[in-house]
Amino acid sequence: MRIALDPYMLRRVPLLSLPRVVADLGYHHIELSPRDDFMPFFLHPRASSADVAAFRRELAAAEVTVASVLPLYKWSGPDEDERRAAVRYWKRAVEITVDLGVDVMNSEFNGRPEAPAASEAQFWRSLEELLPIFEREGVRLVLEPHPDDFVEDGIAAVNLVKGINSPLVTFLYCAPHTFHQGGDLAAVIRHAGPLLTHVHIADSFDHRGSSGLRYIVNPPGSPVRVHQHLDIGQGEVEWDLFFRTLTETGFDGIATVCVFAWEERAEESCRYNLTQVDQYLSKYT
């Protein structure tokens, strides 16, 4: 299992300094999430070939690897112009990933939950163009359901990944999204089986708790999705069950610490969560 860090809380660290900072925090792998100077959210990548080459040199010097590249694009959205733009952005993101020497990309389904059929149709339209590129380049695409995507339930998302029917498309289980995926993390992990190649690690509260009043949103009935990416132990994810189930199913993929809640103490948070992951792995493996 490769333990990676999503360095989003460290995104203001200059790109070429990031590998050394990550190494100093105790991590050997990065999940490269969006940052404005490399791959922004929902926009065309900014990285040049020179940027990629320089970043590779710093990664090698710090003895840190990029385990996965995480782009986020509106490739399943109902707006056709946005979808076509997203496909263009994806193509450049794949080029950058290959140039980095990385063979894994992970992302979200995107789309709109109030228009699931139309969003799924857009998703397939994009995938028909992009999947041959992933297959040609030998890049694995790992997909997760996200709150406010056209598919949010964990079991349904696994079934959709199965339907893609490609050995290079697999499933990511995101622990802080547990309560938007149906709440039964063990069931989703077991249902995914060998399709599960990537997990995200952060804690969250169960927004369904207290008769739906754990969080009060006004006006009533607002279609918001509330979740957190907290330090392990600060929320209600069942961590013993999570790590025990991963062990029972033989998981041996990428496990990314993706806590976003504590930018004011980012380095402390990163170190703490790595210690927690190591302790759970020692307990169950």
Side-chain angles (χ1 to χ4, degrees):
M1 186 184 303
R2 286 184 287 172
I3 311 302
L5 176 67
D6 181 332
Y8 188 72
M9 289 196 296
L10 305 171
R11 65 193 178 278
R12 295 178 183 85
V13 172
L15 180 69
L16 299 185
S17 300
L18 183 63
R20 178 60 60 189
V21 171
V22 169
D24 289 345
L25 292 172
Y27 293 82
H28 303 289
H29 308 286
I30 295 173
E31 180 174 313
L32 191 58
S33 56
R35 45 183 293 152
D36 289 344
D37 60 354
F38 203 80
M39 285 187 189
F41 282 103
F42 306 120
L43 298 173
H44 192 280
R46 291 344 191 204
S48 68
S49 296
D51 293 330
V52 173
F55 188 44
R56 284 194 72 164
R57 287 194 295 270
E58 295 305 318
L59 287 163
E63 298 183 333
V64 170
T65 69
V66 175
S68 181
V69 174
L70 166 57
L72 289 174
Y73 301 127
K74 297 180 181 180
W75 62 327
S76 303
D79 185 285
E80 178 60 12
D81 287 340
E82 283 189 342
R83 188 199 68 81
R84 290 178 180 174
V87 169
R88 289 196 297 272
Y89 306 161
W90 261 113
K91 290 177 180 178
R92 176 59 182 145
V94 173
E95 289 178 353
I96 291 170
T97 299
V98 172
D99 288 346
L100 279 171
V102 181
D103 61 1
V104 179
M105 301 181 79
N106 59 290
S107 194
E108 301 165 6
F109 286 105
N110 193 249
R112 297 303 313 142
E114 68 273 11
S119 295
E120 181 170 336
Q122 294 285 74
F123 171 75
W124 285 108
R125 188 171 290 119
S126 297
L127 200 61
E128 285 170 0
E129 187 170 351
L130 291 169
L131 187 55
I133 298 173
F134 286 107
E135 292 175 339
R136 183 188 71 220
E137 299 293 347
V139 174
R140 179 184 301 279
L141 174 63
V142 194
L143 295 173
E144 65 164 302
H146 193 281
D148 207 45
D149 280 359
F150 77 85
V151 56
E152 298 175 288
D153 179 79
I155 299 294
V158 172
N159 291 341
L160 181 53
V161 171
K162 287 182 179 180
I164 296 169
N165 198 32
S166 170
L168 282 179
V169 184
T170 55
F171 180 72
L172 185 154
Y173 185 81
C174 187
H177 303 163
T178 288
F179 306 109
H180 288 279
Q181 292 193 54
D184 192 339
L185 67 85
V188 177
I189 290 171
R190 292 190 178 108
H191 186 63
L195 276 179
L196 181 66
T197 63
H198 201 144
V199 295
H200 279 171
I201 296 174
D203 217 333
S204 189
F205 289 107
D206 187 348
H207 64 282
R208 308 165 303 170
S210 231
S211 302
L213 297 176
R214 184 69 50 94
Y215 302 99
I216 297 173
V217 178
N218 291 310
S222 298
V224 298
R225 271 70 168 172
V226 178
H227 72 285
Q228 302 80 29
H229 284 244
L230 303 169
D231 288 341
I232 292 173
Q234 290 184 325
E236 296 174 295
V237 174
E238 297 180 72
W239 291 109
D240 281 289
L241 178 61
F242 177 81
F243 283 100
R244 185 170 67 246
T245 306
L246 290 180
T247 299
E248 291 171 352
T249 56
F251 176 79
D252 191 28
I254 300 168
T256 302
V257 172
C258 58
V259 173
F260 306 142
W262 306 113
E263 290 185 6
E264 65 275 16
R265 55 175 187 83
E267 294 191 3
E268 176 190 342
S269 173
C270 294
R271 290 192 179 95
Y272 167 80
N273 286 291
L274 180 58
T275 299
Q276 290 297 298
V277 170
D278 287 341
Q279 288 179 356
Y280 277 108
L281 290 178
S282 296
K283 183 176 181 179
Y284 289 108
T285 59

